[in-house]
Amino acid sequence: MSDLVGDARHLSPSAQEALRLRAVAALVAGRDREDVAELFGVSLKAVDGWWAKWLAGGREALVMRPRGKPVGVHQVLGEAEQGAVRQAVLDHRPCDVGLSGQLWTRRLIGDLIAKLYRVRLTEPGVGKYLKRWGLSFQRPDKRAVEQNPEAVRRWHQETWPKIHAKAKAEGGEILFADQVGIRSDQVTGRTWGEKGKTPVVRRSGNRFSVNAMSAISTKGRMHFMVFTESFTAKVMCRFLDRLAGHFDHKVHLVVDGHSAHRSKMVRDWLAAHPEAVELHFLPPYSPELNPDELVNADLKHSLPKQHRARDQAELAAETRRFFRRRQRQPHIVRGYFGGPHVRYVLDENPMSF
């Protein structure tokens, strides 16, 4: 047995734990300490130490323990100081606390620590604290400075629940809509190329564009219209006509505050079709509240990867193909409502934030 064990110090922590437990079990069974030491290939001192731990703390005293210093031992910042720095990073921008820039980096967080507590940490040292605090390096979401937080709060807590309850009571359906423009010279994403040489993407010097209007629901339905003229009240009414023709129940359509949406022509159309469509407006400067914005981003990201249109007709055709493909993928459409901006639940409950 001793030949199989060898030097116990070379065993893994779990194997050392098993060795300790088996040796103590042999002692409990009545074996002499000398026999146990010889049997397991360890010193008498080790056997005596294990036995003493067993008598003092039982089995728990012999199980494997994490190696190294316990978390928090010999940290430069105390718990209260760490909490203060963490909260400052979450609640403020660097420029709010007398530093430069709007985005936190490890260097700037180190500068904040030095400013508050006169302690200078290395960037890897700051990184260890950030990991311990449960923070990660992320791409921030953008918000317009003109956005009214109170209006957003009312949308969350008052407006949306009322829309949801009204649509449910009427047996209607809620859709979110938005318009988007696609240009022929738009290039998104990345491509492979030789190191040190930027790849070149050839495109037509003849610039052209098309526009689209789409509407999506939490049920995975998508409706769209592609057009070449500018987005106007007349185009909006045409879209409403087409949208109403697809439903045998009332549509509650959530849109932004575009002037075409609020135009007299659109108001007249709505007055003439009160049982078909009702418009609801998002708070100003709050595109993150509209899941259909993610459709626009998906479109602009997907189109250049598929084909390169040579004229407006081809670009319009590619745009229609994108929307028709998404219409056959309701799971993707439903996924827009669970995007990184704002989450709308897919059941009978109100919005979840």
Side-chain angles (χ1 to χ4, degrees), residues 44-176:
L44 281 174
K45 182 178 180 181
V47 173
D48 291 340
W50 297 341
W51 182 247
K53 289 182 178 180
W54 166 266
L55 294 177
R59 187 180 188 280
E60 287 300 313
L62 299 175
V63 298
M64 182 174 56
R65 294 280 186 266
R67 296 185 176 184
K69 298 177 182 178
V71 175
V73 173
H74 302 314
Q75 290 184 22
V76 175
L77 300 178
E79 291 299 324
E81 295 169 336
Q82 292 183 46
V85 175
R86 182 183 188 275
Q87 205 60 44
V89 170
L90 294 177
D91 293 344
H92 302 283
R93 299 169 300 170
C95 57
D96 296 334
V97 294
L99 300 174
S100 61
Q102 299 194 56
L103 302 177
W104 287 108
T105 63
R106 291 186 302 175
R107 179 184 63 79
L108 285 173
I109 295 173
D111 291 343
L112 175 64
I113 293 171
K115 181 177 181 179
L116 292 176
Y117 303 114
R118 299 187 181 281
V119 174
R120 176 59 65 181
L121 301 177
T122 64
E123 289 193 17
V126 172
K128 291 180 180 179
Y129 277 113
L130 294 172
K131 183 178 180 180
R132 189 174 299 130
W133 299 340
L135 305 184
S136 61
F137 201 53
Q138 305 175 38
R139 186 185 301 276
D141 220 358
K142 301 177 180 65
R143 296 289 185 272
V145 295
E146 297 88 352
Q147 187 184 79
N148 185 345
E150 177 59 23
V152 174
R153 184 201 65 78
R154 285 197 301 271
W155 170 263
H156 290 344
Q157 300 180 9
E158 301 172 19
T159 308
W160 166 254
K162 289 180 181 178
I163 296 171
H164 187 275
K166 186 175 183 181
K168 184 178 179 181
E170 296 176 347
E173 187 167 344
I174 302 173
L175 288 90
F176 288 76

Side-chain angles (χ1 to χ4, degrees), residues 147-165 174-177 252-257 262 278-292 337 341-345 350-353:
Q147 187 184 79
N148 185 345
E150 177 59 23
V152 174
R153 184 201 65 78
R154 285 197 301 271
W155 170 263
H156 290 344
Q157 300 180 9
E158 301 172 19
T159 308
W160 166 254
K162 289 180 181 178
I163 296 171
H164 187 275
I174 302 173
L175 288 90
F176 288 76
H252 290 264
L253 191 64
V254 182
V255 295
D256 60 25
R262 297 183 178 275
E278 182 175 342
L279 281 192
H280 304 276
F281 295 98
L282 291 163
Y285 302 102
S286 302
E288 72 277 0
L289 297 180
N290 191 348
D292 202 52
F337 288 86
H341 299 317
V342 59
R343 296 180 181 275
Y344 291 84
V345 296
M351 185 186 299
S352 174
F353 293 96

Side-chain angles (χ1 to χ4, degrees), residues 14-50:
S14 59
Q16 290 183 22
E17 176 186 313
L19 180 64
R20 291 192 294 270
L21 293 173
R22 292 171 62 192
V24 169
L27 292 172
V28 172
R31 299 289 294 266
D32 291 335
R33 50 195 284 273
E34 291 84 0
D35 292 341
V36 172
E38 183 178 357
L39 179 64
F40 291 100
V42 297
S43 66
L44 281 174
K45 182 178 180 181
V47 173
D48 291 340
W50 297 341

